Amino acid sequence: MKKATMTLDRAYTIGSIDPRIYGSFIEHLGRAVYGGIYEPGHPTADKNGFRRDVVDLVKKLDVPVTRYPGGNFVSGFDWEDSIGPRDQRRHRLDLAWYTTETNEVGMHEFIDWCKQANTEPMYAINLGTRGVDAARNIVEYANHKGGSYWSDLRIKNGAKDPFGIKLWCLGNEMDGPWQISHRTAYEYGRVANEAGKVMKWVDPSIELVACGSSSSQMPTFGDWELTMLNECYDHVDYVSLHRYYGNPTNDTRGFLARSMDMDEFIKTVVSICDAVGGKKHSKKKLGLSFDEWNVWYHSREQDEEIIKRSRWDRALPLLEDIYNFEDALLVGSMLITFLRNADRVKIACMAQLVNVIAPIMTRNGGGAWAQTIFWPLMHASKYGRGTALRAIVDTPTYDCEDYEGVPELDTTATLADDGSVTIFAVNRSLDEPMQLSVDLRDFPGLKSVSHELLHHDDVKAINDEQNPDNVTPTPGQGGKLDGGRLEITIPALSWNVIRLTK
Ligand code: AHR
């Protein structure tokens, strides 16, 4: 059997884990809102039309922060359409997704849903067709206590207390030519600076995310960050990163190595942020907000057909990727990558939450179930809190088309406030289990070992409404903890959560 070793020491830490790395995203896109979180008339709907079966699954994931309302949608969105009496709200053409938006769910409804789902809103403003004026008004509407035009309007619309939205995104993917009112890096940097400045004048307690590149594959990546940060560094707190992966050539080994690209992407953005900060003689260090990440490729062809057929219909079933077991393994490795970069990645939002490239699927009028990728996200959110440990790992490696030296065992560890240690591990080998030996001598008092495993013999196995538990965690074989050393077998192609408690 192949062998790997891991050494953990409480003195070797990466940093404290910001729970917001287990965030998610709901866009007015497809059936994320209409038919996802909201479906009046559904057997589980509450009095506001929110599906309770979906809220229960979201709570199970424990999502600390939810980005809203887009995505590409936001760059053509007039936020004022989403407030006031529901029957008087405008129906609008959404040019991002060729859909008709009814605005039935708007700002107040979303805030109510957040309370039910135990999540904090992360609100994106429109820096495509709108600008500084709308930016200052929306913060006044949402966060000012009262006594001004916009805050009084919020009160009149039924919300006496301010929403207190802490986290705001300054637009979405403004580097992308597909974006409604795409901007150059300089143009974007200027408007982000001015919008951010006045938003903080209205409410100095807010935090702001500037749009970084929409992918590390963009030809402007790097230059975009340098140029726009040169304009807005002083007023922003985070830079966004977006990245989706796919396996269109059916190369599982190459696909599972993609988290290496994510790691490189993060490290490059950190360097650029610090270079701009250094040039500006700034004492401030920017955080990273990886506010769109996932696997996304299964539904792409189908979406073109749907749009061709049903352009301008409401809630088209778009981006409904059905995830398989290998997707869950890559998602596990992406979560491990965030933990390894916990000193700088402070926010991350899996894109998205329900129906649209999502861990949760629903049928209109029917059930709600967990896709394969639900499980690693749930495990990491539940157990990956506290401090990220700097694990020293020695593992066999492999080469694939795009990467050399890919670790067969992708693993890291966290230390919780109660002193328990959790090891997360993906065995990327197609057929060989790995014997992992962990040196835990610096953590005396750890006694019990529990092991949860996600494995399926078929990498293409999926969950659906008929068979929702096809790919689901099961207890692993466990390991032997003796004299501060853990010996455990990590099965081939598996996601593992090994918990050591006192
Ligand atoms: O998450 C789906 C889309 O992907 C978002 O609307 C956009 O920001 C990105 O391109």
Side-chain angles (χ1 to χ4, degrees):
M1 197 186 310
K2 283 191 174 166
K3 287 191 165 61
T5 62
M6 176 188 239
T7 306
L8 300 176
D9 188 305
R10 61 179 65 246
Y12 299 159
T13 65
I14 294 168
S16 67
I17 300 161
D18 192 320
R20 295 175 302 175
I21 63 170
Y22 306 120
S24 195
F25 176 26
I26 290 188
E27 176 166 5
H28 280 257
L29 191 189
R31 297 191 308 122
V33 175
Y34 307 112
I37 60 169
Y38 177 79
E39 194 183 340
H42 186 273
T44 71
D46 66 10
K47 64 177 188 342
N48 298 316
F50 291 124
R51 285 182 63 150
R52 268 188 280 243
D53 55 348
V54 173
V55 164
D56 288 347
L57 283 166
V58 175
K59 279 187 176 160
K60 202 163 163 181
L61 280 177
D62 198 352
V63 178
V65 72
T66 304
R67 185 166 173 253
Y68 174 86
N72 296 341
F73 167 79
V74 84
S75 300
F77 175 57
D78 291 321
W79 72 271
E80 303 86 342
D81 289 347
S82 81
I83 57 170
R86 275 163 124 178
D87 56 351
Q88 290 166 31
R89 292 189 194 160
R90 293 177 198 175
H91 292 196
R92 296 279 213 148
L93 295 189
D94 165 23
L95 303 187
W97 301 107
Y98 305 108
T99 307
T100 300
E101 171 57 52
T102 60
N103 285 302
E104 217 174 314
V105 170
M107 194 183 217
H108 289 245
E109 292 76 28
F110 180 67
I111 297 291
D112 286 347
W113 181 83
C114 284
K115 285 183 192 142
Q116 278 189 44
N118 279 343
T119 185
E120 288 292 323
M122 173 181 187
Y123 200 96
I125 63 157
N126 175 356
L127 286 186
T129 58
R130 304 294 293 275
V132 178
D133 196 37
R136 69 176 173 145
N137 292 344
I138 193 173
V139 179
E140 182 184 318
Y141 185 89
N143 287 6
H144 192 63
K145 61 183 185 321
S148 67
Y149 174 76
W150 289 107
S151 57
D152 286 346
L153 188 58
R154 181 199 68 241
I155 296 168
K156 188 170 156 229
N157 287 336
K160 186 171 164 295
D161 294 328
F163 296 143
I165 302 175
K166 175 97 179 134
L167 200 52
W168 296 80
C169 304
L170 296 168
N172 176 70
E173 295 191 349
M174 298 308 300
D175 62 322
W178 58 85
Q179 205 64 214
I180 303 168
S181 199
H182 157 234
R183 294 176 191 261
T184 65
Y186 175 74
E187 286 166 351
Y188 171 71
R190 288 287 306 134
V191 74
N193 189 61
E194 294 306 313
K197 183 177 84 184
V198 298
M199 288 166 82
K200 283 189 171 172
W201 283 352
V202 177
D203 181 354
S205 74
I206 62 174
E207 293 189 308
L208 298 173
V209 183
C211 287
S213 293
S214 49
S215 155
S216 48
Q217 306 304 99
M218 292 297 286
T220 48
F221 169 51
D223 210 25
W224 171 272
E225 280 75 2
L226 268 176
T227 308
M228 70 89 185
L229 281 177
N230 205 28
E231 299 307 313
C232 66
Y233 192 92
D234 292 338
H235 291 297
V236 303
D237 305 284
Y238 307 94
V239 173
S240 76
L241 299 84
H242 291 181
R243 193 71 172 98
Y244 297 98
Y245 298 103
N247 187 12
T249 57
N250 199 15
D251 164 19
T252 299
R253 293 280 267 178
F255 175 63
L256 295 182
R258 293 282 171 219
S259 57
M260 309 238 328
D261 170 82
M262 183 180 232
D263 191 64
E264 253 173 58
F265 188 17
I266 290 171
K267 298 222 158 50
T268 309
V269 176
V270 166
S271 311
I272 297 172
C273 289
D274 291 351
V276 178
K279 184 182 141 202
K280 288 182 175 288
H281 305 183
S282 174
K283 290 202 165 49
K284 179 163 94 176
K285 281 252 185 283
L286 295 186
L288 267 49
S289 172
F290 216 121
D291 48 40
E292 285 189 36
W293 68 274
N294 205 344
V295 172
W296 174 15
Y297 74 108
H298 299 285
S299 63
R300 288 203 189 247
E301 272 176 38
Q302 166 188 319
D303 287 344
E304 283 175 26
E305 279 308 304
I306 294 174
I307 291 175
K308 234 189 259 164
R309 228 179 24 240
S310 314
R311 209 175 167 100
W312 308 129
D313 279 3
R314 176 183 177 270
L316 295 173
L318 295 174
L319 279 68
E320 300 206 356
D321 273 43
I322 304 302
Y323 290 111
N324 59 34
F325 170 57
E326 68 180 6
D327 298 332
L329 294 179
L330 179 60
V331 161
S333 279
M334 288 159 102
L335 288 159
I336 287 174
T337 305
F338 293 143
L339 288 170
R340 281 207 204 98
N341 290 284
D343 53 336
R344 296 304 286 268
V345 179
K346 298 294 168 189
I347 303 161
C349 304
M350 178 186 265
Q352 299 192 7
L353 186 56
V354 188
N355 290 331
V356 172
I357 42 174
I360 299 169
M361 283 304 289
T362 69
R363 183 165 60 81
N364 294 348
W369 62 97
Q371 294 227 58
T372 60
I373 60 170
F374 182 96
W375 300 113
L377 182 63
M378 187 203 77
H379 283 146
S381 176
K382 202 162 160 190
Y383 303 121
R385 307 229 178 179
T387 303
L389 294 173
R390 193 173 293 283
I392 311 297
V393 178
D394 191 11
T395 164
T397 59
Y398 67 94
D399 297 340
C400 59
E401 203 178 317
D402 290 330
Y403 305 98
E404 279 177 15
V406 182
E408 290 277 6
L409 191 72
D410 190 17
T411 182
T412 197
T414 59
L415 172 64
D417 296 343
D418 66 2
S420 59
V421 171
T422 301
I423 297 167
F424 298 100
V426 172
N427 185 352
R428 291 177 168 126
S429 168
L430 300 183
D431 42 25
E432 282 194 74
M434 181 80 69
Q435 182 60 33
L436 174 64
S437 174
V438 188
D439 183 341
L440 286 154
R441 284 174 297 174
D442 200 45
F443 300 88
L446 294 177
K447 287 199 185 82
S448 91
V449 187
S450 73
H451 181 192
E452 282 194 71
L453 177 73
L454 192 69
H455 171 77
H456 200 286
D457 288 339
D458 177 5
V459 282
K460 305 296 179 190
I462 60 159
N463 293 341
D464 58 23
E465 194 177 4
Q466 282 67 45
N467 199 357
D469 298 325
N470 188 30
V471 182
T472 201
T474 53
Q477 279 191 339
K480 232 177 62 204
L481 184 60
D482 195 10
R485 279 188 192 278
L486 170 73
E487 293 294 331
I488 189 162
T489 304
I490 309 290
L493 278 182
S494 64
W495 158 257
N496 301 260
V497 183
I498 302 146
R499 303 201 61 235
L500 300 130
T501 47
K502 294 194 171 178

